[in-house]
Amino acid sequence: MTKNNVTRRGVLKSGAVAGTGLALPTIFTASSAAAFTNEPTGASVTLGFNVPQTGPYADEGNDELLAQQLAVEHLNGEGDGGCLNTFSSKALQGNGILGKKVGFVTGDTQTKSDAARASAKSMIEKDGAIMINGGSSSGVAVAVQGLCQEAGVIFMAGLTHANDTTGKDKKANGFRHFFNAYMSGAALAPVLAAEMGKERRAYHLTADYNWGWTQEESIVASTEALGWETVNTVKTPLASTDFSSYIAPVLNSGADVLVLNHYGGNMVNSLTNAIQFGLLDKVANGKDFKIVVPLYSELMAAGAGENIKGVLGSMNWNWQLQDEGTKAFVKSFGEKYGKPPSNSAQTCYAQVLLYADACERAGTFNPCGVAEALEDFEFDGLGNGPTWYRGADHQCFKDVLVVRGNENPTNAYDTLEIVEITPRAQVEYDPEHPMFAGGELGKCNPGA
């Protein structure tokens, strides 16, 4: 746990021991003088940035942390202001949040739910964090979102793509800016059918946790609706580094498409193994064999190198977009860190600004006032064009990108090309859609 220009403020709590994960309930109570958990009483306010600094998604987490730090600078009136200059809401003035200077503490989720809960719990209890942001795993996001609901603080999710986060595991204190697995299927399937045909046989390798399961379900449903057949679905442990034993059976399966429902280092390793087996050089069922990576990131593409050339997938955002919000963020991030930001970085940056803006518009740090300000909020200027936070489930809706590994990159960051910007209307769905059924949003918890 590291600390940055913040005052430690203890709040009386009791309950589960740190690190016990979801096994025991944690009871949070505000101090007698506060109307809600960690009500700021001094000149500063503390945000908690909970990202994977180690583990298979560490590259994503470290990029998220850079963006979070940049957001704090902009909120405090430092730097060029970034998206404060393009955000359609003009509530933020670069003087902190509600006149209080913004500080932050950080934690390492390790891409493990128990570790993520323990670090978030520590930031809330020991550091007085009033909002938690970050994560690069849906298992982590669901666990931390549940903790924040119990604690009475707002959770602004980082990179979490499973349908469950705003489906069966949705919470009133949690909000997701990132798109989800259903949206990937809705955007990607028509492009796959157009480029590869409607008579394809797919073999899925899937990360064995809630994101992988819902990603597989979404891609299977969307491709089968267009005529594809699913030959097999195989789960792989998140801790895997060598996928050779999972790739070998694909060769004799009768499949002509391999779908890698993997992310981060898992995707880099499984794609590399698939290329080593020569899958893209093979012909099956009279068709050139293809590989699909449903969820892409710039950092994964860089890690996979030439192996991603021509491989299709989807993204939440990309630094090459030309809307004003994207250009402002890319400029700020690039000038500070010497590289373009990833889509996970953009998500965390936007989430920090959205939380601060909601506090300003609500005139309070009370999580219930903040939640009300975010529900059904429509805005522009943070990237991806016009965006809507649906009140029914706290899912964000915006355009979705279909991308391809660039065949002829011009520099180290030109790894992906945008094939299609799928309009928001094509990826929207009813809150009661079967893939999101179960669970209740419930009521906001201020923690008092």
Side-chain angles (χ1 to χ4, degrees):
M1 189 78 62
T2 60
K3 194 171 179 63
N4 181 61
N5 192 32
V6 291
T7 302
R8 299 182 76 93
R9 293 183 296 279
V11 178
L12 180 63
K13 311 283 198 311
S14 62
V17 176
T20 56
L22 295 169
L24 295 173
T26 304
I27 301 171
F28 295 83
T29 58
S31 66
S32 59
F36 52 91
T37 298
N38 292 339
E39 180 177 12
T41 57
S44 66
V45 61
T46 304
L47 307 181
F49 298 148
N50 204 25
V51 302
Q53 298 179 53
T54 58
Y57 295 172
D59 286 348
E60 304 290 338
N62 291 324
D63 222 42
E64 289 177 337
L65 189 53
L66 296 179
Q68 291 162 332
Q69 293 169 340
L70 184 63
V72 168
E73 290 183 12
H74 291 165
L75 289 174
N76 286 331
E78 301 166 9
D80 63 6
C83 287
L84 267 64
N85 301 313
T86 58
F87 193 11
S88 57
S89 173
K90 301 304 179 185
L92 296 171
Q93 301 299 315
N95 61 344
I97 306 176
L98 294 174
K100 296 182 183 292
K101 185 171 183 178
V102 183
F104 65 89
V105 290
T106 72
D108 181 7
T109 71
Q110 304 173 43
T111 318
K112 298 176 181 177
S113 297
D114 283 357
R117 276 181 62 101
S119 58
K121 185 172 183 285
S122 179
M123 285 187 278
I124 294 167
E125 293 189 2
K126 297 179 180 178
D127 300 300
I130 199 165
M131 181 272 276
I132 302 295
N133 167 244
S136 292
S137 154
S138 290
V140 162
V142 166
V144 174
Q145 181 168 261
L147 177 87
C148 289
Q149 181 69 36
E150 298 165 9
V153 301
I154 291 291
F155 176 58
M156 301 296 282
L159 196 164
T160 168
H161 191 241
N163 294 337
D164 294 350
T165 308
T166 46
K168 70 180 182 65
D169 295 309
K170 58 185 173 287
K171 298 289 186 237
N173 284 45
F175 292 84
R176 170 160 59 178
H177 190 71
F178 210 72
F179 72 151
N180 58 44
Y182 173 89
M183 296 177 186
S184 283
L188 193 54
V191 177
L192 295 178
E195 294 207 4
M196 301 180 190
K198 295 185 177 182
E199 296 181 358
R200 283 283 184 167
R201 307 187 75 218
Y203 191 111
H204 289 250
L205 292 182
T206 300
D208 194 13
Y209 73 105
N210 63 344
W211 168 69
W213 307 331
T214 62
Q215 179 64 89
E216 176 191 288
E217 178 188 25
S218 299
I219 296 297
V220 166
S222 60
T223 54
E224 287 186 352
L226 294 174
W228 284 29
E229 178 185 347
T230 303
V231 173
N232 201 3
T233 59
V234 178
K235 305 297 186 291
T236 62
L238 183 60
S240 297
T241 56
D242 186 345
F243 293 86
S244 300
S245 62
Y246 296 99
I247 300 293
V250 178
L251 297 170
N252 299 313
S253 67
D256 46 50
V257 177
L258 173 61
V259 181
L260 294 175
N261 298 302
H262 290 155
Y263 195 75
N266 287 164
M267 183 285 259
V268 171
N269 291 329
S270 62
L271 178 60
T272 299
N273 290 154
I275 298 299
Q276 290 170 341
F277 272 81
L279 287 187
L280 288 182
D281 299 324
K282 297 188 179 299
V283 174
N285 306 319
K287 305 177 181 69
D288 291 338
F289 200 98
K290 299 292 184 181
I291 298 175
V292 177
V293 176
L295 179 60
Y296 253 131
S297 83
E298 300 88 346
L299 300 172
M300 287 162 51
E306 292 196 355
N307 292 335
I308 57 97
K309 288 185 175 182
V311 176
L312 285 166
S314 69
M315 288 185 76
N316 180 69
W317 174 88
N318 183 276
W319 67 271
Q320 298 172 91
L321 289 169
Q322 292 301 302
D323 62 277
E324 293 305 310
T326 291
K327 290 191 289 186
F329 176 54
V330 170
K331 177 178 179 293
S332 292
F333 192 97
E335 289 179 351
K336 185 171 180 64
Y337 302 118
K339 62 177 183 177
S342 65
N343 70 159
S344 55
Q346 188 267 345
T347 294
C348 284
Y349 176 85
Q351 286 286 65
V352 174
L353 295 194
L354 284 165
Y355 169 78
D357 174 77
C359 291
E360 292 284 352
R361 290 186 292 109
T364 182
F365 290 104
N366 187 309
C368 296
V370 174
E372 185 176 352
L374 284 168
E375 288 179 340
D376 290 317
F377 179 46
E378 298 194 66
F379 58 91
D380 201 346
L382 294 184
N384 294 89
T387 304
W388 171 45
Y389 253 123
R390 185 161 66 185
D393 52 7
H394 295 183
Q395 174 63 52
C396 180
F397 290 94
K398 54 192 181 300
D399 295 347
V400 170
L401 307 181
V402 176
V403 298
R404 187 198 327 269
N406 201 335
E407 297 277 8
N408 299 293
T410 57
N411 59 62
Y413 304 107
D414 186 25
T415 53
L416 297 169
E417 61 175 331
I418 298 173
V419 175
E420 183 171 300
I421 300 176
T422 306
R424 187 176 102 185
Q426 185 175 321
V427 301
E428 290 179 356
Y429 54 87
D430 188 274
E432 298 304 317
H433 187 284
M435 288 188 187
F436 298 85
E440 296 291 336
L441 190 65
K443 294 182 179 180
C444 172
N445 175 26

